[in-house]
Amino acid sequence: MSTLVNKKDQKVVNRSKKIPVIDCDVHPNPKSYEDLNPYLSEYWRDFLADCKWKGVFPNIPAMAIVANAGHRMDSIPPEGGLGCSSLDFYREQVADRYNYANSILFPDSTFMLSASPQHEMATAIASAYNDWQIDHWLSKDSSLRGSVVIASQDPEMAAREIDRVGSHPQMAQVGLSIHSPYGGWGDNRYYPIWKAAVRHGLVCTFHVSVPGGVFRPGPNYGNYYPEFQTNNGLTYQAQISSIIFGGVFEKFTKLRMLFVEGGFAWLPSVMYTMDTHWRNLKREVPWVKRPPSQVVREHMWFGTQPMIEPESHEDEKHVLDIMKMVGLNNFVFTSDYPHWEFDAPHAAFARFPKEFKHQIFYKNAVDLFGLPNPMDTNGTN
Amino acid sequence: MERNVLCKKSEIPLGESKVFQVRRLSVVVVRKENEQFYAVRNFCPHQGAELGKGVLRGAARANDVKDVCYEKPGSFLYCPWHHWSFDVENGCSMHDPENTKIKTYDVKVENDEVVLYA
Ligand code: FES
């Protein structure tokens, strides 16, 4: 059996059995929200404690299925606490079991922060999550990579937070919500965020979220969770066209974006549609110099979870065809642990071709995040 | 290549265009504000609209995001259906000048007459 050994923490990637996996969507939690206290200013620590703050998730409109922050029932560590709040239990339950080479962390529920109308509170909490993430996770396992948590309601403050922690060697991305606080993500009010991300070589990653404030506009939020999950894609579509036609990548040519948990079957349709309207109305958006589908392939990546699970061999080919239409280089594996929609890598992709699995499980993520190749015998994490 | 006399120069006003049928060809002749004449095929390669029913405008180009300059006014023929646009000087489309083009023809003014060579 050949293995790769990380000198720092002796993490072992098994090279002879299962294909190594880089999981690009893992949500660690503090054991309790009091763990964040050391990282809050005295003002916010007292204020949030007095108000009995219980994290970000409880603020979203209630649905039974997400009452426990949507965690897998078995994800609570033996010693208690929230799902995915123990590094050891996470390793045992997921990382070691599925032969993870790296995990990209996105602290749980922080993708809801941008829905808060209170910029200052959201900014303080985002900042506390970053210091907690570095102390409790990144510094304890060199295979982990982190997200710079930001409150995007205030792009200038968000950029300052990216500058504060973005150069940490294990920070890989800026964590964003698919719902933008004001207007679409293509709006130039968000430029400071993109500028800071490029400055630190960070990927900008968008996670499924809810709209801000008290409104549930339009039908895409829905009354039921399967409805919400299905219709999420509508928000992704709208944001992708906002970003493309807003010319974000013309301005920030080194910017890379990753979209997780929003599906991908709709992508070929959106790419073709954008190209059609771009050709027709290039007069209105002359700053978009290349066909939008090309811009998508060069700048955007997509998480696989929730993986479309084909019923039959015939359907499986359709899923692969859809991914080929987008570009097989543009997908990375995401599990969404500890949420109950978790995709177990080798089971969710059991019937796909082996070469495809190598690409999806680690190769594309190696390219996107500049990680060492886990199959490289000289590579260390 | 045949010499085809189309009309008197004065029949096409400055900055406008006119469609002519020459044998089996339908041709749009454009007289730009600078007095230059151009001729292109009256057929949009997208879905076949008659380009002669479109308008002559400039090209919107951007040096930077939302920093738009408007160039070559009256040089681009905009299709009346879905707004694809073509530079009448070389037939190149604005969105894909290398690959999406319309045919251009030689047109001259000779003795005050507009003459097409096609
Ligand atoms: S037919 Fe000319 S643009 Fe569609």
Side-chain angles (χ1 to χ4, degrees), chain A residues 280, chain B residues 44-49 51 79-84 86:
Chain A
N280 298 353
Chain B
C44 178
H46 179 218
Q47 290 181 11
L51 288 173
C79 178
W81 285 9
H82 315 103
H83 295 250
W84 286 25
F86 303 90

